[in-house]
Amino acid sequence: MDEQPILNLDGYLLALRRLSGNRCDFWAEIFDISGNIEDDFRKHLSDRHVALIDFSNIGYKEIDEVLKKHSFSMLRIEDESISKLFAWDIVEYIQMSYRLIEPEIDPISNNQAVLVRAESDFHGRYVYIVIPVKNKGIAMGLATRP
């Protein structure tokens, strides 16, 4: 998997973080999947002192709801159509990451995407959206600063 689309998504999320007045942290990263996505994600985060609370499969509708709740509610934007554009951009960045590998796959519409509720001393309670793509996982973290 080419890291450039993930770096582009991470940069876009950093810009949104600035729009929140740094009241949030948003980031994207890649990890290896060799078997079970839950086990591999736990292994990926093992040195970060993060407790993973639960995992649930999600699709596009749930991703939109998560973005509204965990990120756009913290942005200082009065025009709702702008926040819809941000959501569209985020989904497009995610899709670019896996469509470069295999144009015909769509793990989000196939309900392979996973919402992970997490907790750490640094971020408090927050979420990850994890999208498996062959032997890699794209993880997007959305945290509100406590």
Side-chain angles (χ1 to χ4, degrees):
M1 173 179 285
D2 184 7
E3 288 192 26
Q4 190 59 49
I6 302 302
L7 294 175
N8 291 343
L9 172 59
D10 192 56
Y12 190 78
L13 293 171
L14 179 60
L16 292 181
R17 173 181 161 187
R18 297 292 186 239
L19 286 175
S20 79
N22 286 332
R23 295 181 299 159
C24 300
D25 280 334
F26 310 132
W27 66 97
E29 58 192 292
I30 298 174
F31 66 98
D32 292 325
I33 298 175
S34 61
N36 178 292
I37 190 169
E38 292 180 25
D39 294 339
D40 290 330
F41 192 55
R42 285 181 197 283
K43 181 179 174 184
H44 173 70
L45 296 176
S46 63
D47 63 341
R48 297 190 201 176
H49 301 44
V50 174
L52 300 180
I53 299 166
D54 65 19
F55 293 75
S56 58
N57 290 77
I58 58 174
Y60 285 107
K61 178 182 174 187
E62 293 84 7
I63 287 175
D64 188 53
E65 291 168 1
V66 168
L67 290 172
K68 284 179 187 172
K69 180 178 179 184
H70 292 278
S71 55
F72 301 145
S73 64
M74 300 302 287
L75 300 181
R76 297 176 181 153
I77 300 170
E78 295 179 18
D79 186 348
E80 187 178 330
S81 64
I82 299 292
S83 64
K84 288 180 181 181
L85 285 174
F86 286 144
W88 180 262
D89 288 345
I90 289 170
V91 169
E92 280 191 334
Y93 276 116
I94 292 169
Q95 289 174 335
M96 279 190 290
S97 302
Y98 57 78
R99 293 228 165 112
L100 290 172
I101 297 170
E102 182 67 47
E104 300 302 318
I105 66 171
D106 190 352
I108 298 173
S109 68
N110 293 334
N111 269 356
Q112 294 173 332
V114 178
L115 178 67
V116 182
R117 297 185 199 291
E119 186 171 14
S120 71
D121 289 339
F122 184 75
H123 284 116
R125 289 184 176 255
Y126 64 103
V127 297
Y128 283 98
I129 296 172
V130 179
I131 297 99
V133 182
K134 297 198 176 196
N135 62 347
K136 298 286 184 188
I138 302 166
M140 185 173 62
L142 305 167
T144 303
R145 292 181 187 258

